[in-house]
């Protein structure tokens, strides 16, 4: 059963101050107040509920295709990944 328009309006009111103080709360974003409130409330959920909610959200999100990747973009990503892995390997050997 879906949430009625009136209930939804109540569900997305700005978060009380005690919830806004969460260390991962979103404060400066291009998202709407409703989306920000949902994310802040998400942070307060137990881990198992976060996983369940994320699964349901991904199930509902429409497919997204960013289009083909340019060869230069792919090469740059590969170079960045190789550099990151090299740094990790070097840091491990230095111990």
């Amino acid at each position: 059963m879906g949430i009625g328009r009136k209930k939804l309006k109540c569900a997305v009111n700005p978060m009380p101050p005690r919830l806004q103080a969460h260390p991962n709360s979103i404060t400066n974003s291009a998202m709407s107040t409703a989306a920000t409130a949902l994310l802040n409330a998400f942070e307060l959920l137990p881990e198992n509920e976060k996983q369940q909610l994320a699964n349901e959200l991904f199930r509902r999100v429409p497919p997204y295709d960013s289009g083909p990747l340019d060869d230069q973009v792919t090469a740059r990503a590969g170079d960045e990944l190789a550099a990151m892995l090299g740094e990790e390997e070097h840091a491990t050997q230095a111990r």
Side-chain angles (χ1 to χ4, degrees):
M1 186 182 286
I3 297 176
R5 192 176 287 272
K6 195 169 191 175
K7 279 189 176 179
L8 181 59
K9 196 171 191 176
C10 294
V12 294
N13 282 339
M15 301 299 278
R18 69 177 182 83
L19 300 182
Q20 292 175 354
H22 191 278
N24 291 336
S25 56
I26 308 292
T27 54
N28 187 8
S29 175
M31 285 188 283
S32 68
T33 303
T36 301
L38 287 171
L39 281 176
N40 289 335
F42 176 82
E43 292 297 333
L44 299 172
L45 293 172
E47 290 302 315
N48 65 328
E49 287 188 39
K50 285 181 181 179
Q51 185 64 48
Q52 291 172 351
L53 179 59
N55 288 339
E56 287 299 315
L57 288 173
F58 284 126
R59 194 171 65 76
R60 288 173 167 82
V61 173
Y64 175 76
D65 181 8
S66 63
L69 288 177
D70 181 282
D71 287 342
Q72 290 178 339
V73 172
T74 305
R76 188 173 350 142
D79 292 343
E80 290 173 4
L81 178 60
M84 181 185 72
L85 293 173
E87 289 173 10
E88 286 180 5
E89 184 177 2
H90 179 70
T92 303
Q93 291 174 353
R95 289 183 199 174

